[in-house]
Amino acid sequence: MSTDTFAVTSAGDGPSVAVIQPPRSSGAASRAALRALIRRDLTVLRKNFWEFVGRTLMQPLLLVFVFLYVFPTIGQGVGGAGGRAGESDFATVLVPGVVAISIMFQGIQSVAIQLSQEFGYTREIEDRVQAPCPIWLVAVARVLSGATQALISALIVFPIAAVVHAPGVHAHLTVHWWIVVTLIPLACVAMTSLGLVLGTTFEPRNIGLMFGFVVLPLVFLGGTYYQWTRLGAVSVDGFHWLQVLVLVNPLIYIAEGMRAGLTNAAHMPLVVVYPVLIAFLALFLGVGLRNFRRRVLS
């Protein structure tokens, strides 16, 4: 336990003045508290790592198993009209989409669901906000630890999604490392920031509504199973309404960015992907921090 340092000075016959100097600044204390909060979450993750792996793998593994193994094997593969070549093209599109939704799901699960419980019956949030740091930094710690979990999930899911397929079906993958290394961390923080918004908005009893009205539309309209560039075929009087509508979905930018980073398939321009993802991150983080402070102080 650190002790404060102080000095006693005296001016003539006047009273002595004690000058107390804290052992460290408030900024240093906040940084130490932030590191401790993140280490706490990662320690819990380490102790429950295999549970985390099972939760991370189940949905993506079933997705690629059904679409890339079962369907082609029974002759009902997506893209099967083009034979194995068409099925391989679909596999090439699907694998980056699977990585994208694994990042989204893990980001939401690790932050939104945990926060809804901590603000609910466990009241664990009361212990966290007693850390010697500003309230907003407690929320940032949750976002960063969740982003770490989302990053780990992407690293686990990608090799499995790349190899689970029927004989003759091959995903044509080409890793562009500078895109992968820059996009995945950005996507992880953006999705955990979205989790912060959802976790501070929905009550525990309304988690089902969150998945039904927020998460599922994000997945099915987020370019997981198709390329954004192909949506131009859906139009009314020449207006490509679906291609425009999905632009409000942050997942579409992650999926398209992952296609740019993992394949040579057609994708949304990266000069659009990066700025919009950064904008979503700033929006979600700003709204989430405001909601978090409001919930803590209410």
Side-chain angles (χ1 to χ4, degrees):
M1 181 176 179
S2 61
T3 58
D4 293 345
T5 61
F6 63 91
V8 179
T9 62
S10 177
D13 296 331
S16 298
V17 178
V19 180
I20 300 176
Q21 180 180 0
R24 58 183 177 181
S25 66
S26 59
S30 296
R31 289 192 295 272
L34 175 63
R35 289 193 295 269
L37 288 169
I38 295 175
R39 282 201 303 269
R40 178 188 183 280
D41 290 335
L42 295 182
T43 299
V44 173
L45 173 64
R46 179 175 57 82
K47 292 181 177 180
N48 300 283
F49 183 73
W50 292 113
E51 177 185 337
F52 165 79
V53 171
R55 183 177 68 245
T56 298
L57 285 181
M58 185 55 64
Q59 196 267 353
L61 180 60
L62 288 175
L63 191 64
V64 295
F65 176 72
V66 171
F67 279 101
L68 302 185
Y69 184 83
V70 176
F71 279 9
T73 300
I74 65 177
Q76 296 181 7
V78 179
R84 283 296 191 253
E87 293 167 352
S88 296
D89 290 341
F90 176 70
T92 304
V93 170
L94 182 64
V95 169
V98 168
V99 177
I101 63 169
S102 70
I103 292 174
M104 188 200 72
F105 270 114
Q106 191 58 49
I108 291 176
Q109 288 180 345
S110 62
V111 179
I113 295 179
Q114 290 296 322
L115 279 180
S116 68
Q117 294 175 351
E118 292 175 6
F119 279 116
Y121 60 89
T122 67
R123 301 305 300 172
E124 184 181 339
I125 197 66
E126 296 176 358
D127 296 331
R128 287 180 174 271
V129 296
Q130 292 180 20
C133 62
I135 291 176
W136 64 268
L137 205 58
V138 177
V140 169
R142 172 64 78 182
V143 167
L144 293 178
S145 61
T148 302
Q149 296 180 47
L151 175 61
I152 295 173
S153 71
L155 296 177
I156 294 174
V157 166
F158 172 63
I160 295 177
V163 300
V164 176
H165 49 72
V169 176
H170 302 284
H172 304 298
L173 303 177
T174 303
V175 179
H176 304 280
W177 286 106
W178 75 268
I179 301 176
V180 171
V181 170
T182 56
L183 183 74
I184 289 183
L186 176 61
C188 291
V189 178
M191 289 298 96
T192 49
S193 297
L194 173 60
L196 180 64
V197 174
L198 298 177
T200 53
T201 301
F202 287 88
E203 299 291 339
R205 64 179 181 275
N206 294 327
I207 290 298
L209 292 177
M210 181 187 77
F211 277 95
F213 288 93
V214 178
V215 177
L216 285 181
L218 289 180
V219 171
F220 284 102
L221 297 176
T224 304
Y225 312 100
Y226 48 82
Q227 297 158 277
W228 178 80
T229 54
R230 296 291 186 91
L231 293 180
V234 183
S235 63
V236 176
D237 294 331
F239 175 60
H240 309 300
W241 63 273
L242 186 57
Q243 196 172 41
V244 174
L245 176 65
V246 299
L247 293 178
V248 301
N249 185 345
L251 184 60
I252 194 78
Y253 302 95
I254 299 175
E256 289 294 297
M258 293 309 303
R259 287 193 182 96
L262 299 177
T263 73
N264 289 324
H267 56 79
M268 184 184 294
L270 292 176
V271 293
V272 175
V273 170
Y274 280 94
V276 175
L277 261 185
I278 292 172
F280 271 120
L281 189 159
L283 174 64
F284 293 150
L285 190 60
V287 174
L289 292 178
R290 184 200 63 188
N291 291 353
F292 184 85
R293 180 180 179 82
R294 184 180 300 169
R295 289 288 298 274
V296 167
L297 298 179
S298 62

